[in-house]
Amino acid sequence: MNRREAARQVGAFYAKRGWQVFPFQRAVWQAALAGESGLLHATTGSGKTFAVWFAALQRAMCAPPTRKRGLRVLWITPMRALAADTLRALTESAAELMPGWTVDARTGDTSSAARARQAKHLPDTLITTPESLTLMLSKADAATQFALLDMVIIDEWHELMGNKRGVQTQLALARLRRWAHQAGGTLVVWGLSATLGNLPRAKEVLLGPGMPGATVEGSIRKDILVDTLIPANPSRFPWAGHLGIQMLPAVIGEIERHATTLVFCNTRSQAELWYQNMLEARPDWAGIIALHHGSLDKEVRDWVELGLKKGELKAVVCTSSLDLGVDFLPVERVLQIGSAKGIARLLQRAGRSGHAPGRVSRVTLVPTHSLELLEAAGAIQAVKDRDIEARHVPEKPLDVLVQHLVTIALGGGFRSEALFDEVRGAWSYRHLTEEEWQWALDFVARGGQSLTVYPEYRRVLPDEEGVYRVPDVALGRRHRMGIGTIVSEAMIQVKYQSGGRIGTVEEGFIARLNKGDNFLFGGRILEFIRVHEMTAYVKRATGAKGAVPRWQGGKMPLSSELAHAALAQMQLVTEGVYSGPEMLAIAPLLEIQARWSALPTPARTVIESLHSREGHHLFVYPFAGRAVHIGLASLFAYRIGRMQPITFSIAVNDYGFELLAPDNVDWPTVFAPAHGRDVGLFGTDRLLEDVMASLNATEMSQRRFREIARIAGLVFQGYPGQPKSNRQIQASSSLFFEVFRKHDAGNLLLTQAQREVLEQELELNRLRATLEELQGRAVSYHETKRATPFGFALMVERFREKLSTEKLSDRVARVLRELEKAAGP
DNA sequence: GACCTGCTGCGGTGTG
């Protein structure tokens, strides 16, 4: 078939359904037919899926007829749930355009019968996850399986590119590209992305450094509306807090007025509490409102998702578990309780409503404390400006590389030089040095310097011809069980004594419960009975309230974009401009702040000191997000400590930080630039050294190392169904940490742990940028008689999270003592 | 006077 005929048939497919063909879809088809790779960027619900899928089909329609059967198109999705939805969509359209063309899915959910079928004969199109793809690469016959591969599509690339799953995908793509090249062809690769600030980078990472490719932007401009539920009585609204239950009546009102509403919460426990409160207020909603978060059992979540799809649910209280993965939901209204923390996330959530070309997406912010009104005003402006966060791509994570080496050794073996070359074709490893490569190779061959005597760490060995392979079946099996880069806490299953599964909670939470204690989980009050083999047995409790489980999740900081937008709003206020109802509502509070102290703006850093019974407080408001503020606070404490002996307690939030000292400090002198060009506390010279010295970097690295050890295959997670407990995993990873520190200081996985702490947990680059910004801002110093609105939130924060420099140094001392003991005589 | 929190995602063996 020629191209014109193929295009005609696809056109007929659209015409039959009354769909419009958008120019961006044509652009993708033309590029792909010409053998070009690329990135397609468009909002959700704009027809991206069919744009790339029909590109693949048209390539197949135009290909010379062949009798060879095998895999032609590979579709990679980050989520199993999406695999099922995609399978349906692709199968239906393929049946019409390419009769006889087979589409199948392969994820962890794939049945053993389907696996056996696929082992014999792969379908023409396979939908899979990065992990399942990597598993396929670990099979000895991988090269044959992918011999006919023509096109790869990576769905939701923006979700993958910023993390190690994306790096694993890059490595797999490099492998597939190499095979296609060896067979004399080129692999056509297309990525799909939405809500992303750095498109050119996204494309480069997907296609490999320096590789050509097209960027196609979906032309449909989605109208996005962001607004705010303003508290009924703003002057009585709390200055701090995160639950926002005061807003319950307003939220219930919104739910009443619309067919289906998603209520997004920032944490699982918050979702549990909101759901419970909602049911208490509206008992008649039992059965038509539901709860959805990542710790609930899959069966429960499936039921909720199905209810949503059928339009049977009035509202679902959820966390970002509903951000993705459930496509084509008929949702009318989206509410966001508390800060969305970033513009990309907000846009994504807005996109859950009006999910079809031409319809308006709307999200309504529900503040949980007064200052969030400020954030809301900033967010609305940032969305208007489409000021979207960039995703940062990990740079040569060696744990992922080490895992990959074993995978490829299993999947037919490799020669060092050829694989080195191939790996450097993956963007994240483009700067991988010869030494680093040798180190990784040595690490899988001998376990590095310190593990040489243990055969289970001699995972990969060269044969006489110099081809590296895995010498032992058992090692291979163990490796396959550990493929992937997602590392989570050890979880305890929660089950009814009668058998039903409810979900999972963290080991530490259950450990604090006694028999007979109640807790709120899965939307009901449960009574804890006993724990046995990583399973907690419970029964329905009668009446009373219960504790809410806490999960140790990530603590996402406010993004720079959103923080700057909020600061900009305060600048407007100093000029007498109130941008909307949010700013008018918060005006009285800002007026107090301005009267007692001053408003922070992009041009002015506000610093306050306060003397109270607790001691001498210092408040600083850089608006740089909590991660940076932790770094800044520790850095300031350390630098001040060098001028005069003193220790501080520290508190941080997304807007600023507090230092509390027992003794008086002469703050103006501390903040005065010493002389000339000296920028004192705000200096960036010796930043890295000072940060390392001011924080307990060792302890932070050790925590980070847990994940690295697991990905690098040092720590075995246990067999499915009998997971190791947290303590066991922690113990063995900290053992490796200590052994490497003592006997193998050059171990690059240690260096990586430290780098990840600095880059990801402390956001060192953003910290440096913030210091530079602070140098350029005027300092507005105020001694206040009582805590200002901004300061109050920080004082509250300190009660829950006690970080003190004294404690840190105690901990350092303890770690040092332990190390000396471990070193022994 | 005000408070007490921290998301998501995947994968896998055993041969009596």
Side-chain angles (χ1 to χ4, degrees):
Chain A
M1 191 185 295
N2 63 28
R3 287 187 195 179
R4 180 174 299 208
E5 176 56 19
R8 200 195 57 76
Q9 288 195 17
V10 168
F13 182 95
Y14 274 73
K16 198 165 139 191
R17 286 160 180 78
W19 295 352
Q20 193 192 339
V21 176
F22 297 107
F24 80 85
Q25 293 175 314
R26 274 210 188 86
V28 172
W29 298 338
Q30 269 168 18
L33 274 170
E36 230 185 318
S37 297
L39 180 69
L40 169 58
H41 174 255
T43 52
T44 46
S46 58
K48 273 187 306 205
T49 302
F50 283 127
V52 284
W53 173 231
F54 288 147
L57 282 187
Q58 286 180 57
R59 282 184 64 81
M61 289 157 94
C62 298
T66 164
R67 306 184 62 139
K68 278 196 225 154
R69 298 299 308 270
L71 183 65
R72 308 295 172 114
V73 180
L74 190 62
W75 185 290
I76 302 171
T77 163
M79 286 187 57
R80 288 182 300 220
L82 281 175
D85 282 346
T86 310
L87 179 59
R88 213 168 307 120
L90 303 198
T91 311
E92 278 171 24
S93 45
E96 220 171 297
L97 286 166
M98 288 285 287
W101 186 272
T102 53
V103 186
D104 207 348
R106 186 192 187 92
T107 68
D109 293 340
T110 305
S111 68
S112 49
R115 269 165 200 265
R117 190 175 70 230
Q118 289 171 1
K120 244 191 262 168
H121 221 51
L122 278 176
D124 299 295
T125 298
L126 186 70
I127 302 164
T128 189
T129 57
E131 289 80 8
S132 284
L133 171 60
T134 305
L135 271 162
M136 290 173 77
L137 293 182
S138 79
K139 296 292 158 70
D141 62 345
T144 352
Q145 293 222 302
F146 291 100
L148 297 178
L149 190 65
D150 175 61
M151 183 161 169
V152 182
I153 293 152
I154 297 101
D155 200 3
E156 312 277 359
W157 175 236
H158 57 283
E159 284 298 320
L160 290 172
M161 71 173 276
N163 54 46
K164 289 180 183 175
R165 298 186 76 197
V167 176
Q168 187 154 59
T169 311
Q170 288 179 45
L171 286 168
L173 283 174
R175 177 114 277 233
L176 297 176
R177 243 185 251 123
R178 157 78 47 129
W179 280 334
H181 188 71
Q182 280 169 355
T186 31
L187 189 66
V188 176
V189 177
W190 277 81
L192 301 178
S193 83
T195 46
L196 195 62
N198 49 344
L199 220 46
R201 174 56 51 83
K203 188 184 83 178
E204 200 187 359
V205 175
L206 177 74
L207 303 183
M211 300 290 280
T215 303
V216 177
E217 292 236 34
S219 44
I220 310 170
R221 168 88 187 186
K222 195 90 183 161
D223 281 322
I224 296 169
L225 180 67
V226 184
D227 56 5
T228 311
L229 283 186
I230 307 288
N233 189 347
S235 57
R236 298 285 295 273
F237 203 58
W239 291 7
H242 82 280
L243 283 178
I245 287 294
Q246 303 90 338
M247 297 299 288
L248 186 68
V251 166
I252 285 182
E254 287 301 313
I255 295 173
E256 276 166 351
R257 281 191 287 280
H258 298 89
T260 311
T261 304
L262 286 185
V263 182
F264 278 105
C265 295
N266 280 340
T267 69
R268 288 166 277 195
S269 57
Q270 188 183 24
E272 291 274 356
L273 282 166
W274 265 85
Y275 177 75
Q276 196 64 19
N277 278 280
M278 222 180 258
L279 266 188
E280 257 166 48
R282 292 295 304 261
D284 56 314
W285 280 357
I288 55 169
I289 65 171
L291 178 65
H292 192 286
H293 63 68
S295 289
L296 294 176
D297 193 72
K298 189 171 182 314
E299 223 168 276
V300 179
R301 294 165 61 176
D302 286 348
W303 178 84
V304 176
E305 286 163 26
L306 196 68
L308 267 176
K309 282 182 188 168
K310 288 194 192 154
E312 292 169 352
L313 290 173
K314 183 116 189 88
V316 176
V317 182
C318 59
T319 60
S320 50
S321 54
L322 275 188
D323 257 348
L324 275 176
V326 198
D327 232 339
F328 315 114
L329 288 178
V331 170
E332 200 176 304
R333 199 81 176 81
V334 175
L335 304 179
Q336 163 70 42
I337 314 273
S339 168
K341 302 286 181 192
I343 305 304
R345 188 176 293 106
L346 193 60
L347 287 173
Q348 182 129 30
R349 290 183 176 172
R352 297 267 65 130
S353 73
H355 190 291
R359 291 185 39 203
V360 177
S361 290
R362 176 180 175 198
V363 58
T364 299
L365 301 167
V366 182
T368 62
H369 61 77
S370 294
L371 294 181
E372 271 180 357
L373 286 162
L374 185 66
E375 257 187 68
I380 289 169
Q381 187 56 45
V383 165
K384 271 189 202 138
D385 301 342
R386 292 289 192 275
D387 189 7
I388 301 169
E389 294 85 12
R391 308 255 177 176
H392 298 288
V393 185
E395 288 274 356
K396 49 181 173 190
L398 291 178
D399 52 348
V400 183
L401 179 62
V402 160
Q403 188 185 105
H404 186 67
L405 292 185
V406 183
T407 298
I408 301 308
L410 278 168
F414 64 85
R415 284 173 194 282
S416 171
E417 266 166 51
L419 190 59
F420 179 47
D421 208 44
E422 178 185 308
V423 163
R424 292 220 298 182
W427 190 90
S428 286
Y429 299 100
R430 69 202 181 291
H431 298 316
L432 188 74
T433 64
E434 187 84 42
E435 291 72 40
E436 287 162 332
W437 173 258
Q438 280 306 330
W439 181 86
L441 201 56
D442 182 59
F443 190 73
V444 291
R446 316 188 290 135
Q449 268 182 38
S450 49
L451 303 176
T452 316
V453 292
Y454 304 101
E456 65 260 48
Y457 298 106
R458 291 202 289 267
R459 293 180 282 174
V460 167
L461 293 172
D463 60 17
E464 306 84 55
E465 282 145 38
V467 177
Y468 285 80
R469 297 179 197 281
V470 175
D472 181 273
V473 207
L475 279 178
R477 193 163 55 220
R478 200 179 116 153
H479 177 76
R480 288 198 181 96
M481 290 202 303
I483 279 180
T485 60
I486 300 175
V487 179
S488 8
E489 295 287 317
M491 291 288 192
I492 293 234
Q493 279 258 7
V494 182
K495 269 189 191 170
Y496 285 120
Q497 213 166 18
S498 50
R501 287 198 308 266
I502 309 164
T504 56
V505 295
E506 282 174 17
E507 211 180 0
F509 174 74
I510 288 291
R512 285 198 300 273
L513 295 181
N514 295 314
K515 181 175 160 50
D517 282 356
N518 289 351
F519 64 103
L520 177 63
F521 180 53
R524 11 192 107 110
I525 313 252
L526 304 170
E527 185 186 323
F528 173 64
I529 302 170
R530 71 199 168 100
V531 72
H532 179 61
E533 291 190 338
M534 298 299 279
T535 304
Y537 293 91
V538 300
K539 62 181 182 193
R540 291 292 285 265
T542 38
K545 297 233 167 204
V548 184
R550 289 158 58 167
W551 289 268
Q552 202 56 249
K555 299 187 179 180
M556 41 193 170
L558 198 66
S559 77
S560 298
E561 284 73 4
L562 193 45
H564 284 142
L567 268 184
Q569 289 295 318
M570 281 189 285
Q571 176 66 42
L572 287 178
V573 169
T574 62
E575 294 159 13
V577 179
Y578 293 81
S579 67
E582 296 81 10
M583 294 307 288
L584 285 172
I586 201 183
L589 187 78
L590 295 182
E591 208 262 316
I592 296 178
Q593 174 71 32
R595 202 168 59 225
W596 294 0
S597 162
L599 289 184
T601 69
R604 170 167 80 197
T605 302
V606 173
I607 298 177
E608 296 165 358
S609 67
L610 167 71
H611 179 68
S612 79
R613 262 174 309 172
E614 288 184 285
H616 298 264
H617 308 252
L618 179 81
F619 299 100
V620 186
Y621 312 111
F623 273 69
R626 54 173 302 127
V628 167
H629 293 152
I630 290 177
L632 269 182
S634 317
L635 186 70
F636 278 26
Y638 172 75
R639 287 179 174 175
I640 295 169
R642 270 194 317 207
M643 299 181 224
Q644 50 184 286
I646 192 163
T647 56
F648 294 102
S649 297
I650 291 170
V652 302
N653 63 16
D654 275 324
Y655 312 123
F657 62 88
E658 178 202 20
L659 297 181
L660 171 63
D663 311 312
N664 201 5
V665 185
D666 183 11
W667 297 116
T669 315
V670 164
F671 278 98
H675 23 240
R677 290 172 48 79
D678 187 357
V679 283
L681 290 181
F682 300 112
T684 49
D685 292 349
R686 292 184 41 88
L687 178 60
L688 183 65
E689 293 94 318
D690 284 3
V691 167
M692 296 292 287
S694 68
L695 281 154
N696 191 348
T698 308
E699 195 168 312
M700 293 177 86
S701 305
Q702 177 161 1
R703 220 176 315 131
R704 201 80 207 178
F705 189 75
R706 239 189 87 221
E707 177 185 311
I708 291 170
R710 154 70 182 81
I711 295 175
L714 292 174
V715 180
F716 185 49
Q717 291 279 83
Y719 290 101
Q722 41 197 7
K724 279 192 189 179
S725 92
N726 214 3
R727 222 169 306 130
Q728 284 168 283
I729 291 172
Q730 206 115 14
S732 37
S733 77
S734 57
L735 189 69
F736 282 113
F737 187 78
E738 293 303 341
V739 167
F740 289 160
R741 270 167 58 92
K742 246 170 66 188
H743 304 293
D744 186 10
N747 191 302
L748 294 184
L749 295 179
L750 289 180
T751 324
Q752 188 189 331
Q754 194 177 77
R755 215 183 61 204
E756 285 185 11
V757 165
L758 290 173
E759 281 170 9
Q760 290 163 38
E761 275 172 58
L762 293 171
E763 300 194 69
L764 192 68
N765 286 334
R766 193 171 162 195
L767 177 60
R768 180 175 285 114
T770 304
L771 282 170
E772 278 159 8
E773 265 176 43
L774 291 176
Q775 290 171 22
R777 288 183 199 168
V779 168
S780 172
Y781 172 73
H782 303 265
E783 280 176 40
T784 65
K785 290 202 182 58
R786 48 189 158 165
T788 62
F790 281 18
F792 176 78
L794 280 165
M795 289 181 81
V796 166
E797 195 75 28
R798 187 160 35 78
F799 298 136
R800 18 180 238 108
E801 204 165 356
K802 287 216 167 72
L803 284 168
S804 84
T805 46
E806 271 171 309
K807 267 195 181 162
L808 282 179
S809 53
D810 282 353
R811 263 186 272 160
V812 175
R814 178 174 54 76
V815 169
L816 281 176
R817 270 199 311 276
E818 281 172 10
L819 273 179
E820 276 158 21
K821 218 172 11 175

